[in-house]
């Protein structure tokens, strides 16, 4: 979120998991995990890399969900991520939705900013241009599918407080 009090340059950019606003769809108890892996790579990641990752994952005999549309409506993303055990993709909103849905993220990043965003919440996300699909899949710890807890439900409060500080 970018705050512009008077149309000038932004005075503050609110970014990161501490400002995440949780969709009510995520509030219900998690259903049984019946999708092994969801893959999604956003803009900036070459499609051939994404397809190669899906090919490597399929060699493990996993049930894959690769969205037919690049962007699914939030409610559909919520349902898919709540059913997934693992999210293999790039740093971005899909990563936060995966974590909120209980899917373990295995990531690459488009640039240094995204790499640092993942690092701030304890995740590794090398630049996609500096890794291979095989190396990405090799980082999956099959016996330790745990999800980091980054969503504490206070994102809306933090955004409101930041807006109030700017306007008052």
């Amino acid at each position: 979120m970018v705050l512009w009090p008077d149309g000038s340059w932004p005075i503050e950019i609110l970014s990161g998991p501490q400002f995440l606003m949780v969709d009510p769809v995520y509030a219900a108890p998690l259903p049984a995990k019946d999708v092994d892996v969801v893959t999604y790579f956003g803009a900036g990641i070459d499609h051939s890399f994404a397809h190669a990752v899906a090919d490597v994952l399929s060699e493990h005999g996993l049930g894959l969900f690769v969205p037919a549309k690049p962007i699914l409506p939030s409610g559909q993303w919520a349902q898919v991520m709540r059913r997934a055990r693992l999210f293999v993709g790039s740093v971005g909103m899909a990563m936060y939705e995966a974590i909120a849905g209980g899917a373990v993220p295995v990531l690459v990043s488009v640039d240094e900013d995204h790499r640092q965003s993942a690092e701030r919440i304890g995740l590794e996300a090398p630049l996609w241009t500096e890794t291979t699909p095989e190396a990405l899949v090799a980082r999956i710890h099959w016996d330790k599918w745990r999800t980091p807890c980054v969503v504490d439900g206070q994102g809306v409060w933090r955004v409101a407080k930041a807006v109030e500080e700017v306007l008052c």
Side-chain angles (χ1 to χ4, degrees), residues 10-132:
I11 60 166
E12 187 169 0
I13 297 175
L14 307 179
S15 176
Q18 69 272 26
F19 296 109
L20 191 62
M21 297 182 209
V22 179
D23 188 308
V25 174
Y26 291 115
L30 294 175
K33 300 287 188 176
D34 60 354
V35 175
D36 289 325
V37 183
V38 173
T39 65
Y40 176 75
F41 295 88
I45 307 274
D46 189 273
H47 292 290
S48 62
F49 182 86
H51 290 294
V53 168
D55 289 344
V56 173
L57 286 166
S58 67
E59 292 171 7
H60 290 273
L62 300 169
L64 296 177
F65 177 86
V66 180
K69 296 179 181 178
I71 304 295
L72 294 175
S74 181
Q76 286 182 5
W77 263 122
Q79 295 306 317
V80 169
M81 294 301 189
R82 289 164 56 87
R83 294 175 46 214
R85 292 183 177 90
L86 185 67
F87 170 71
V88 177
S90 56
V91 174
M93 284 311 301
M95 171 193 75
Y96 291 115
E97 290 175 333
I99 292 169
V104 176
V106 177
L107 308 163
V108 292
S109 56
V110 173
D111 57 29
E112 188 60 24
D113 286 341
H114 281 182
R115 191 195 64 72
Q116 289 175 6
S117 291
E119 194 174 82
R120 281 195 299 270
I121 59 172
L123 298 173
E124 179 185 354
L127 296 173
W128 78 273
T129 55
E130 297 177 358
T131 191
T132 65

